[in-house]
Amino acid sequence: MQILQIIKVIGKHQKQIGDFMFFSVIVPVYNVEEYLHDCIKSVLNQTFDDFELILVDDGSPDNCPLICDEYAAKDNRIKVIHKENGGLASARREGIKQASGEYVYNLDSDDLIETDTLEFAYNKIKETNCDIVTFAYNWVKNGKVVKVTDDCVEEGFYSKDDIIEKLYPMILMDKNMNHLSFYLSGKAIKRKLLAPLQLAVDEKISLGEDLCCSFPCVINAESIYISKKASYLYNVRDNSMSKEFNTKQILLLENVINELSKNNTSMINDFEEQLHRYSCFMCFAVLASAAEGNYRKSIKKIKSCILNSIHSDHIKFAVFDKISLKSKISIFLMKIKLYNSAFCFLRISKFIKNLLKRS
């Protein structure tokens, strides 16, 4: 009798282990051999151990596929998916298809998380039963934190009514350039909420794919816990995809705007106004990136791309309020189509800033 009871207990326990994980940590992997070991270790060293780690090798050309397999052979919490290269959105889709956790945490393969990240998220989920837990971000360069960013709202629990009242007005960008984090990484999201939205993102989107998924997640969430805990360590790389300058970024951003507009945004009273500001801000960011790298020869192409895209009207109608003088002047010059002047102004601003630093 006792033996039968023991067998039943063991069988029940095995079923729970096989069928349930609280977190699925999804890490798309591509050409990050230098950083991958530390990324994986930051997950395996979590103080909360009820998770699976899904490494999605997106056809990486370096030793990353081998590294993934080696870790999987040592730790049965690790799943490895090998696929042809399809980009970040494609890799995340494959990851979410294999995820079994109640909540999903996305992590980029060149970044890290603090050891108590999952434990903190678990405690907040159990405490509030929220659909999403967000974290702040430490931006790290050469081992040093260079800045910290968060969601620009008060820390705490947000019910559906709170989300509509307090988060929707800055879901893309308010008049002061404040906005919720566009990143999908660094958030613990209920899998039942995330999965259909992640799978709906067009795999062709290669810029802004995070926002195309995080935006509908916020819209459809019943509750969110906003944390100021900066447990996500974002690695600032000079050769990072997001840091490379390319005029095609302007055209790729058109796809993002079209994707965002597919959502049911009827509850967001000023969605169109926010879309104007987001488009204008992103074009300004591309121009500022060109000025930062002194890509003077690209100005003509930048201007042409903007004027012959949907961004032209968005910039025209974008209204801002309390923003920096540099941003005000630059956007004003963009509105009157003086892109070369805006570029020169941004170059001069950088020169003066560097001069003041030296003095």
Side-chain angles (χ1 to χ4, degrees), residues 102-103 124-131 157 190 223:
E102 188 174 346
Y103 283 75
K124 291 305 174 185
I125 291 165
K126 287 303 178 183
E127 177 186 324
T128 66
N129 196 32
C130 58
D131 290 338
F157 176 79
K190 186 174 287 187
S223 58

Side-chain angles (χ1 to χ4, degrees), residues 138-206:
N138 277 322
W139 293 60
V140 181
K141 188 170 186 178
N142 299 323
K144 295 182 179 180
V145 176
V146 292
K147 69 174 178 178
V148 180
T149 57
D150 56 39
D151 281 305
C152 299
V153 293
E154 289 184 7
E155 182 174 40
F157 176 79
Y158 289 76
S159 65
K160 188 64 177 184
D161 289 341
D162 293 330
I163 293 171
I164 294 170
E165 179 187 350
K166 300 175 182 178
L167 301 188
Y168 279 6
M170 60 187 335
I171 191 170
L172 284 180
M173 187 163 291
D174 68 11
K175 289 184 178 180
N176 302 325
M177 282 190 181
N178 295 318
H179 58 84
L180 299 182
S181 167
F182 297 153
Y183 297 120
L184 188 61
S185 294
K187 294 177 174 66
I189 304 174
K190 186 174 287 187
R191 180 167 57 89
K192 288 182 180 179
L193 168 65
L194 175 64
L197 302 175
Q198 181 72 74
L199 294 172
V201 175
D202 191 337
E203 289 189 9
K204 295 178 182 177
I205 294 177
S206 58

Side-chain angles (χ1 to χ4, degrees), residues 176-177 284 321-331:
N176 302 325
M177 282 190 181
F284 166 56
D321 186 11
K322 297 176 183 178
I323 58 177
S324 70
L325 182 60
K326 183 177 81 171
S327 297
K328 281 184 179 179
I329 294 173
S330 300
I331 290 173

Side-chain angles (χ1 to χ4, degrees), residues 212-269:
C212 290
C213 189
S214 63
F215 177 80
C217 280
V218 173
I219 290 177
N220 290 282
E222 290 299 319
S223 58
I224 300 175
Y225 186 89
I226 303 285
S227 169
K228 297 290 185 180
K229 180 179 175 62
S231 71
Y232 191 96
L233 308 181
Y234 179 89
N235 186 28
V236 181
R237 292 196 286 149
D238 291 333
N239 63 337
S240 171
M241 252 172 53
S242 61
K243 300 294 284 186
E244 291 176 6
F245 177 75
N246 188 339
T247 55
K248 289 182 180 180
Q249 291 176 341
I250 296 164
L251 301 179
L252 292 173
L253 284 166
E254 277 193 303
N255 296 331
V256 176
I257 289 174
N258 291 331
E259 191 76 12
L260 294 175
S261 300
K262 292 178 184 178
N263 292 281
N264 180 6
T265 57
S266 58
M267 296 289 288
I268 306 174
N269 296 327

